[in-house]
Amino acid sequence: MGATRFSAGLTSLLLMLAGGCSKGTPIGASADAASKVYVAPGQYDELYAFMSGGFSGNVTVYGLPSGRLLQQIPVFSQYPEKGYGYSEETKALLNTSFGFVPWDDAHHPQLSTTAGEQDGRWLFINGNNTPRIARLDLTRFETDETIEIPNSGGGHASPFLTENTEYVVSATRFSVPTPQADVPIEGSKFGGMLTFVKVDKASGHMSVGFQIHMPGFDYDLSRSGKGPSHGWSFFSSYNTEEAKTLLERNASQKDKDFIAAVNWKQAEQCVADGKAKPWPTRYAHNLRDVNGIARTEMLADEPVLEPKDCPGIVYFLPTPKSPHGVDVDPSGEYIVGGGKLATVLPVHSFSKMQKAIADKAFETEIDGIPVLKYEAVNACEVQKPGLGPLHTEFDGKGFAYTSVFLSSEIIKWDLKKCVVVDRVPTYYSIGHLMIPGGDTRKPYGKYVVALNKITKDRYLPTGPDLTQSAQLYDISGDKMKLLLDFPTTGEPHYAQAIPAGKIRDQQLKTFALAENHHPQAIKTEKDAKVVREGNKVHVYMTAIRSHFMPDNIEGVQVGDEVYFHITNLEQDWDVPHGFAVMGALNGELLVMPGQTLTLAWKPDRAGIFPFYCTDFCSALHQEMQGYIRVSPKGSGTKVLFNTGQ
């Protein structure tokens, strides 16, 4: 009882410190909340929400407003449910210059845009640990491409898009020696890197366009301009002290850090003019071909620009203090910085920034980068925003919404008047928030989703590790109203949502068997066979309700490399077949209708080993099984295969 009173008192105190007693939505949801999030059986949600899985390495897909989990899309992690990272077709998507890296920390999903509006083609997401960007195809909800970011240490400010998806950007979170070198940690000069990854308009294929060598700060988040600010990208940075130890103290000394404003149009011209220098490096680009087979290309020598060699490509905007978010409003005029340790929420003006550049209203210069005067670029400061403002999105009606971590709340504020008009508690310790389309020129609005870090007392306990949560708020009226809590998978750092109609009807239902050109595909059961090539055995197998062809195989020897090439002959929606064999050290396959996938297996002992379908497909699913005989090495057992004999 005492602990409860203390917690309640602490919450009240924090809210008072953040801006007086809260006059926003009372704790708990409104009486009609259930009806607003109810989606009747057989009905569809109005929005797809794509959430990062954080340390799970995946993307999760939820329906809104119901909060129902619809799908997990594997990206940077091996995922047994779908055989991702285990099948021979998908392993290469996890290749890096360090080798096969079957995990990463996925933070920021970004939907592709055209003219600043969501177009429903692709979803991009970053890997933070081994810096990477992935591209997902939204007709199949599958990862098609991953590219490693060279010369970087941690890809956190990534993969934020320019207005027409010309580029996805990435910035190093952890500055490191540039180029990498064996040097003492203390006393050595580190550097940062901003990377602009070019996206092909038709295919979506990615390639590193250019990089900009920056001072050794920590670069946190990014947004690109729109409308009048199109051609610019903005990156928040902290640790301008360039501390290398105890950053919680040593990186919080200055009252202001920076937002880096990058004129990428001018940077393109500098590259075209030959002002970039090739840096020797090595990084992996992994791409699926038209047959769904991923292959790796190792690349080197990327063009790097030094700001001093290309004046005008980067400016620093002083921003209080330790900024996390940097967010651009739908008009492209306002740039909002979220200073984690700031007492105000700074709003910069793009037009004032342009004038300050023209007037050379500079405080100083750092490594060839002019630092603009704060008062010359600042439009206003939102007073009493709460404790720990992080990240802002917009409803398209003139209001901005900011997540506030320490005081666990969302504030709503008037974008032009710079005054808070509403605040609502979240449960608890909100990180990012998301408004559908809230980072675009035309927000969908209607809801804001809080992505919370702590859920103690919100759900049934599950041991020391509790689920994290999202909370859905109605923002259609003057006051925010809590509608729904729903648990999330992994750590949802950020999310994006899109009206369902933009991608629902383009969903691929089956792969056309007649168009399956996989080199190991077979189109009919009569083509099933087993072929020995030295110590490699290739099993060309079909799957259909409710048997494999062949389902009895002999002639495999201990130590052979066995490749099961499974073609699903079904041409009916939602009838995948699974495949698993006893003793496999990787995973299973989940083969979609009309698709071919390959599982590698190396038996280490003699015997009879069953294989079976892992995905329930019919009333006789249990009967969908077979056997493979493994004989001692050198036994000379003849290769035999059959079904039904």
Side-chain angles (χ1 to χ4, degrees), residues 298-434:
M298 284 293 175
L299 299 171
D301 296 332
E302 284 309 317
V304 177
L305 286 167
E306 299 285 353
K308 63 182 175 58
D309 296 333
C310 187
I313 61 167
V314 187
Y315 297 90
F316 281 137
L317 283 59
T319 302
K321 176 179 184 184
S322 298
H324 183 58
V326 51
D327 298 287
V328 181
D329 86 300
S331 75
E333 167 63 14
Y334 297 112
I335 305 149
V336 182
K340 300 192 295 290
L341 303 178
T343 58
V344 296
L345 196 63
V347 182
H348 298 314
S349 160
F350 179 74
S351 57
K352 289 187 71 173
M353 185 191 84
Q354 293 295 90
K355 185 176 187 304
I357 292 170
D359 294 344
K360 296 187 177 180
F362 304 150
E363 285 184 0
T364 186
E365 187 177 282
I366 300 174
D367 293 353
I369 300 171
V371 179
L372 298 169
K373 292 181 178 178
Y374 180 71
E375 61 273 13
V377 298
N378 185 253
C380 64
E381 294 176 340
V382 180
Q383 302 296 314
K384 298 181 180 179
L387 300 177
L390 293 182
H391 173 227
T392 300
E393 294 207 349
F394 309 91
D395 64 5
K397 300 176 182 178
F399 296 100
Y401 299 73
T402 300
S403 57
V404 188
F405 179 78
L406 290 176
S407 46
S408 293
E409 58 182 326
I410 297 172
I411 62 166
K412 175 183 178 181
W413 50 279
D414 189 298
L415 188 57
K416 291 185 178 179
K417 295 179 181 178
C418 277
V419 294
V420 175
V421 298
D422 190 26
R423 57 198 331 138
V424 65
T426 61
Y427 307 96
Y428 304 96
S429 299
I430 181 176
H432 282 260
L433 54 69
M434 179 272 289

Side-chain angles (χ1 to χ4, degrees), residues 512-529:
L513 191 61
E515 298 171 11
N516 182 343
H517 301 298
H518 190 292
Q520 278 77 45
I522 55 177
K523 306 296 180 66
T524 66
E525 289 188 342
K526 65 181 178 59
D527 296 322
K529 59 186 176 182

Side-chain angles (χ1 to χ4, degrees), residues 611-634:
F611 55 84
Y612 68 104
C613 176
T614 55
D615 188 9
F616 194 94
C617 56
S618 71
L620 298 177
H621 165 72
Q622 289 293 96
E623 285 76 11
M624 192 168 175
Q625 65 182 55
Y627 295 101
I628 184 166
R629 175 187 173 188
V630 178
S631 302
K633 189 172 182 62

Side-chain angles (χ1 to χ4, degrees), residues 216-506:
F217 309 154
D218 290 35
Y219 297 87
D220 203 359
L221 288 174
S222 177
R223 291 290 191 196
S224 293
K226 24 177 115 70
S229 54
H230 176 60
W232 289 78
S233 289
F234 305 92
F235 299 82
S236 61
S237 67
Y238 61 99
N239 190 24
T240 54
E241 297 86 351
E242 300 190 56
K244 300 182 178 72
T245 183
L246 283 177
L247 266 63
E248 63 184 84
R249 180 181 69 205
N250 296 325
S252 304
Q253 300 299 306
K254 297 180 180 179
D255 288 334
K256 290 184 176 66
D257 290 288
F258 298 124
I259 288 171
V262 178
N263 186 337
W264 58 261
K265 286 280 190 181
Q266 187 167 334
E268 282 183 326
Q269 187 59 53
C270 286
V271 173
D273 292 342
K275 295 182 179 180
K277 298 174 183 177
W279 277 32
T281 187
R282 186 169 180 267
Y283 67 100
H285 179 213
N286 311 310
L287 180 65
R288 274 181 161 175
D289 64 18
V290 293
N291 299 315
I293 302 171
R295 293 183 170 85
T296 298
E297 181 182 13
M298 284 293 175
L299 299 171
D301 296 332
E302 284 309 317
V304 177
L305 286 167
E306 299 285 353
K308 63 182 175 58
D309 296 333
C310 187
I313 61 167
V314 187
Y315 297 90
F316 281 137
L317 283 59
T319 302
K321 176 179 184 184
S322 298
H324 183 58
V326 51
D327 298 287
V328 181
D329 86 300
S331 75
E333 167 63 14
Y334 297 112
I335 305 149
V336 182
K340 300 192 295 290
L341 303 178
T343 58
V344 296
L345 196 63
V347 182
H348 298 314
S349 160
F350 179 74
S351 57
K352 289 187 71 173
M353 185 191 84
Q354 293 295 90
K355 185 176 187 304
I357 292 170
D359 294 344
K360 296 187 177 180
F362 304 150
E363 285 184 0
T364 186
E365 187 177 282
I366 300 174
D367 293 353
I369 300 171
V371 179
L372 298 169
K373 292 181 178 178
Y374 180 71
E375 61 273 13
V377 298
N378 185 253
C380 64
E381 294 176 340
V382 180
Q383 302 296 314
K384 298 181 180 179
L387 300 177
L390 293 182
H391 173 227
T392 300
E393 294 207 349
F394 309 91
D395 64 5
K397 300 176 182 178
F399 296 100
Y401 299 73
T402 300
S403 57
V404 188
F405 179 78
L406 290 176
S407 46
S408 293
E409 58 182 326
I410 297 172
I411 62 166
K412 175 183 178 181
W413 50 279
D414 189 298
L415 188 57
K416 291 185 178 179
K417 295 179 181 178
C418 277
V419 294
V420 175
V421 298
D422 190 26
R423 57 198 331 138
V424 65
T426 61
Y427 307 96
Y428 304 96
S429 299
I430 181 176
H432 282 260
L433 54 69
M434 179 272 289
I435 293 173
D439 64 330
T440 70
R441 294 192 73 176
K442 292 188 177 179
Y444 180 80
K446 191 172 182 179
Y447 304 110
V448 62
V449 177
L451 301 167
N452 301 325
K453 303 299 185 185
I454 297 171
T455 56
K456 62 178 81 175
D457 81 20
R458 300 302 289 178
Y459 304 111
L460 287 171
T462 54
D465 184 24
L466 303 180
T467 184
Q468 296 188 0
S469 88
Q471 292 185 298
L472 182 73
Y473 295 81
D474 182 351
I475 59 171
S476 59
D478 291 337
K479 298 293 184 181
M480 294 176 279
K481 296 180 180 179
L482 176 61
L483 300 179
L484 180 69
D485 277 29
F486 58 98
T488 54
T489 300
E491 183 182 2
H493 288 265
Y494 183 47
Q496 294 249 282
I498 186 172
K502 286 196 172 186
I503 57 177
R504 182 187 62 220
D505 296 334
Q506 68 179 16

Side-chain angles (χ1 to χ4, degrees), residues 201-220:
K201 290 182 179 179
S203 66
H205 294 174
M206 297 183 289
S207 59
V208 175
F210 59 89
Q211 297 186 296
I212 302 174
H213 189 207
M214 298 288 288
F217 309 154
D218 290 35
Y219 297 87
D220 203 359

Side-chain angles (χ1 to χ4, degrees), residues 162-173:
T162 56
E163 191 171 51
N164 294 297
T165 317
E166 298 97 338
Y167 292 99
V168 290
V169 304
S170 182
T172 185
R173 174 180 172 185

Side-chain angles (χ1 to χ4, degrees), residues 131-133 147-152 158 170 195 197 208 211 283-284:
R132 288 178 275 183
I133 295 174
I147 189 168
E148 187 179 358
I149 306 300
N151 304 312
S152 290
S158 176
S170 182
T195 304
V197 177
V208 175
Q211 297 186 296
Y283 67 100

